[in-house]
Amino acid sequence: PSKVKHLSRSNTTIIKRCDRLKKCECFKRIKQILHQHHNHIISNSSSLIIHDSVIVPNEHTLINDYHHIVTKHLSHSSHAKNVENFNYINRELMIQCDINKCKLFEDHN
């Protein structure tokens, strides 16, 4: 299978080679977006502000990036490589959140 990465420029997607998760531009973007999202949550921003400022502008890129990560970095024929990549993602995205104090969680439940 070809190894690609999707780079977003405006509303177009550019595809380049992607051979390692640690250098994957898709993963870097998702990580950045999730950290922005988390920063809005801990600053007690409203759900609407979070949605409009973080999710909406990145909506199409998020979908393409997520698809790329799942199909290219978590679907290897080597189970060990999939586990290694999953553990890397988990370590890199480690965000501490107390669900008992999470306004966004309360808003949705």
Side-chain angles (χ1 to χ4, degrees):
S2 67
K3 296 178 181 180
V4 297
K5 66 180 161 188
H6 304 275
L7 300 176
S8 181
R9 187 178 296 157
S10 309
N11 288 330
T12 62
T13 300
I14 301 167
I15 300 175
K16 290 189 174 185
R17 292 190 62 76
C18 181
D19 54 8
R20 288 184 1 155
L21 180 60
K22 292 177 183 174
K23 292 188 176 191
C24 178
E25 293 298 321
C26 294
F27 179 67
K28 289 176 186 176
R29 273 194 303 272
I30 286 182
K31 181 179 173 182
Q32 178 186 9
I33 292 165
L34 288 173
H35 283 284
Q36 286 176 349
H37 188 265
H38 181 69
N39 288 335
H40 277 289
I41 291 170
I42 61 176
S43 68
N44 289 322
S45 298
S46 74
S47 299
L48 185 58
I49 290 172
I50 294 170
H51 183 262
D52 290 347
S53 66
V54 178
I55 304 301
V56 171
N58 298 296
E59 188 171 37
H60 298 291
T61 300
L62 277 171
I63 293 167
N64 289 336
D65 289 349
Y66 177 79
H67 179 263
H68 168 80
I69 291 167
V70 169
T71 59
K72 300 300 178 188
H73 299 296
L74 296 174
S75 298
H76 287 275
S77 57
S78 164
H79 180 70
K81 185 65 174 174
N82 292 332
V83 170
E84 176 187 329
N85 284 343
F86 175 82
N87 288 333
Y88 176 78
I89 291 168
N90 194 40
R91 278 191 314 274
E92 290 294 307
L93 297 181
M94 191 60 72
I95 296 175
Q96 300 298 320
C97 182
D98 182 351
I99 199 162
N100 296 315
K101 296 179 182 177
C102 181
K103 183 178 179 346
L104 193 61
F105 180 77
E106 289 175 6
D107 290 349
H108 290 285
N109 290 297

